Amino acid sequence: MDKTDERQKIGRNASAVAISGNTFLTIFNFIIGLISGSSALVAESAHTLSDVLTSIIAFIGFKIGMKPADDDHQYGHGRAEPLVGLVIVVFLVVVAYEILSGVYIKLTSTTPLAPPELIAALMAFIGIFINLAMTTYLMRAGKKINSPAIIADGQHQKVDIFSCIAILVGVIGAQLGFPILDPLVAIFISIIVIKTAFELARDNVNVIMGKVPSDTILDEVRSAAKKVDNVKGVHSIKINPMGPYSSAELHIEVDGNIKLKDAHEIAHNVEKRIINDVSAIKMAIIHVCPFEEECATSGNDKVL
């Protein structure tokens, strides 16, 4: 199985786990929330419903990002994934608004607050472990295949862990004579959702704006290029993020008396070496300049 097929399989499995798990949680959170009278659990069901939708959107973005390059998209379709990450941010903001609206209605109602039944605490306890398992799986899968869409979905899922812990505390506190804790916990959930939305927006905007994906990738590219025979120096490395992958552009220095044919062969070998050694790089553009000239600073690079 090649890397593309493996990436598709991991992404497909991660999306299937997220969609099926969140569908289960949405149904039972809503039913138990209504039965127990827990507004926080009902709010959490709305959040898990958004998880189902965002998991579907994340998978669509992942599939688009896997499409190969074409005449109109010569660097591929990888930027579809961070764009999908921003769509997920919009869903998070809407969810936070809906939660706060529900809490406002409950707190301004003239009906006395009643404590939720303990079955809500049991559902929250179960939700903690299900969400922890799904978050761990999604984050590992997303990082393994470097998928901004699946990582964003995993970050979205992580919110539910804290939400369920907060719900558990709120229900128990309400049973001990503090019914106000339940709507306050719902407010706490909305704050977590807004915080997650901000972090996701920041990370995905950074990808779209071309922020270098890691602190070590420049060193990895330089090291890979220097391993090729007859490469005497490497400079002017630039990384262009394209979602799950990046392209690299760099200058290599070779003997100034080398033949044009040999210089092209060295550049081709450097390209292959970088793509093979640096997993985040899918495309490399190599410029060749003579070693004896200070091409790194003079601007007189001899590009072959």
Side-chain angles (χ1 to χ4, degrees), residues 254-259 290 292:
V254 300
D255 191 322
N257 297 318
I258 199 169
K259 294 181 179 179
E292 66 267 24

Side-chain angles (χ1 to χ4, degrees), residues 70-204:
D70 55 35
D71 290 340
D72 294 326
H73 307 85
Q74 296 181 348
Y75 283 87
H77 298 75
R79 285 197 176 94
E81 294 203 40
L83 287 174
V84 163
L86 294 180
V87 173
I88 292 175
V89 169
V90 174
F91 271 83
L92 284 169
V93 173
V94 171
V95 167
Y97 172 78
E98 291 297 330
I99 293 173
L100 290 173
S101 296
V103 171
Y104 175 78
I105 292 172
K106 191 164 187 176
L107 290 178
T108 55
S109 173
T110 56
T111 304
L113 293 174
E117 297 179 13
L118 283 176
I119 191 173
L122 177 61
M123 186 64 222
F125 187 74
I126 294 172
I128 291 171
F129 290 98
I130 294 177
N131 283 302
L132 178 61
M134 287 197 296
T135 298
T136 302
Y137 182 81
L138 287 172
M139 293 300 292
R140 285 179 178 174
K143 290 178 180 178
K144 184 174 182 179
I145 62 177
N146 193 27
S147 170
I150 293 178
I151 291 173
D153 200 21
Q155 291 283 10
H156 188 188
Q157 194 68 49
K158 185 168 66 175
V159 172
D160 288 0
I161 300 174
F162 300 105
S163 298
C164 289
I165 293 173
I167 291 169
L168 182 62
V169 172
V171 172
I172 294 174
Q175 285 290 329
L176 294 176
F178 302 97
I180 190 66
L181 280 178
D182 185 58
L184 290 180
V185 164
I187 294 174
F188 176 71
I189 293 171
S190 68
I191 293 172
I192 296 176
V193 173
I194 293 171
K195 178 177 180 294
T196 302
F198 172 79
E199 292 173 348
L200 279 179
R202 179 196 60 201
D203 293 344
N204 283 282

Side-chain angles (χ1 to χ4, degrees), residues 20-72:
S20 58
N22 283 312
T23 299
F24 170 85
L25 287 173
T26 297
I27 294 170
F28 282 91
N29 279 337
F30 183 72
I31 293 174
I32 301 301
L34 289 179
I35 293 173
S36 65
S38 171
S39 59
L41 202 56
V42 172
E44 180 61 11
S45 72
H47 186 197
T48 51
L49 175 60
S50 78
D51 288 344
V52 176
L53 299 177
T54 53
S55 293
I56 294 172
I57 292 171
F59 180 66
I60 293 172
F62 173 78
K63 290 290 288 184
I64 295 173
M66 287 297 298
K67 291 174 64 177
D70 55 35
D71 290 340
D72 294 326

Side-chain angles (χ1 to χ4, degrees), residues 228-230 252 258-272 288:
V228 177
D229 292 340
N230 298 315
I252 60 171
I258 199 169
K259 294 181 179 179
L260 178 63
K261 179 181 177 181
D262 294 334
H264 272 288
E265 183 178 355
I266 294 171
H268 185 62
N269 290 337
V270 170
E271 178 187 5
K272 290 194 298 183
V288 183

